[in-house]
Amino acid sequence: MMQATSITLAFRVLPVLVDGTVAVAHVARSFRVFLSLDACWWPRCKSLSDTSPDEGLIEDLTVEDKAVEQLAEGLLSHYLPDLQRSKQALQELTQNQVVLLDTLEQEISKFKECHSMLDINALFTEAKHYHAKLVNIRKEMLMLHEKTSKLKKRALKLQQKRQKEELEREQQREKEFEREKQLTAKPAKRT
């Protein structure tokens, strides 16, 4: 049961070590708590929900500072290299994640540009379609203009022909009227 308590107390120091600020005083304090455990204190610590590891601490027990310091150094020498390697691995991982995030952002921006290029291509395709429509409308307008010009010329010719025919009819009527006039009997003049 004492071993479980020592592991628990040792891991209470680990967050200090992972941070990179090794405080021997914290480790030494943990070892003092460990070394001052008493059989009368242990039964009260059966659950993890106890409020303080210092509860039931025997104040009269003296522990040599050198022994505490050696135990702390031993603990640090045992866990510190692994923790430093873990810290370095975490830093590399963080750097790699930053590089990966930058690369991902670049790829997203390229994808957005590609998507906008597709939109531009769609606009150009639509512009070509409408340009073709405009060309067709222009051809139709030119064709209609030619037809109307031909129709106007034909209408003018027809009008001129009718006017000529009416003029000829009028002249024909005048001739007939003159002829009738000449053919009518004239009374003889008395002298």
Side-chain angles (χ1 to χ4, degrees), residues 35-187:
L35 292 174
S36 64
L37 289 178
D38 186 54
C40 67
W41 180 78
W42 180 250
R44 286 184 272 157
C45 266
K46 286 185 182 175
S47 70
L48 295 176
S49 65
D50 284 345
T51 56
S52 170
D54 294 337
E55 185 179 315
L57 186 65
I58 300 173
E59 298 290 334
D60 296 341
L61 184 65
T62 57
V63 179
E64 288 185 32
D65 285 341
K66 186 176 183 184
V68 171
E69 201 169 306
Q70 287 176 349
L71 285 171
E73 286 177 11
L75 179 69
L76 287 176
S77 67
H78 181 71
Y79 287 111
L80 189 61
D82 289 337
L83 290 174
Q84 286 176 341
R85 280 193 297 270
S86 298
K87 180 181 176 183
Q88 186 177 5
L90 285 173
Q91 285 175 344
E92 288 176 13
L93 181 65
T94 304
Q95 289 174 351
N96 290 340
Q97 283 179 341
V98 168
V99 170
L100 183 63
L101 285 173
D102 289 342
T103 306
L104 189 60
E105 286 178 9
Q106 290 173 358
E107 291 298 320
I108 288 172
S109 66
K110 286 179 185 178
F111 179 73
K112 286 181 180 177
E113 287 175 11
C114 183
H115 190 64
S116 65
M117 290 298 287
L118 291 175
D119 290 342
I120 291 172
N121 287 337
L123 287 175
F124 277 119
T125 304
E126 192 174 350
K128 283 181 184 179
H129 175 72
Y130 285 120
H131 181 266
K133 276 188 172 183
L134 285 173
V135 168
N136 287 337
I137 290 171
R138 184 171 184 220
K139 284 180 184 178
E140 287 178 14
M141 287 178 70
L142 287 174
M143 189 173 66
L144 288 174
H145 178 69
E146 287 177 14
K147 284 183 179 180
T148 54
S149 296
K150 287 179 182 178
L151 286 174
K152 282 182 182 178
K153 286 180 184 177
R154 187 172 174 204
L156 184 62
K157 285 181 183 178
L158 286 173
Q159 187 178 6
Q160 287 174 350
K161 187 176 177 183
R162 280 188 187 151
Q163 285 176 352
K164 187 177 179 183
E165 286 176 357
E166 282 183 28
L167 185 63
E168 286 176 0
R169 277 190 222 134
E170 189 65 37
Q171 287 174 353
Q172 185 71 22
R173 275 190 233 147
E174 283 181 19
K175 282 183 185 178
E176 285 179 15
F177 183 68
E178 285 293 323
R179 191 192 264 168
E180 277 183 29
K181 206 177 181 184
Q182 288 176 359
L183 290 178
T184 51
K186 294 181 186 174

Side-chain angles (χ1 to χ4, degrees), residues 9-20:
L9 292 174
F11 279 118
R12 287 185 184 162
V13 179
L14 286 181
V16 175
L17 297 176
V18 171
D19 249 2

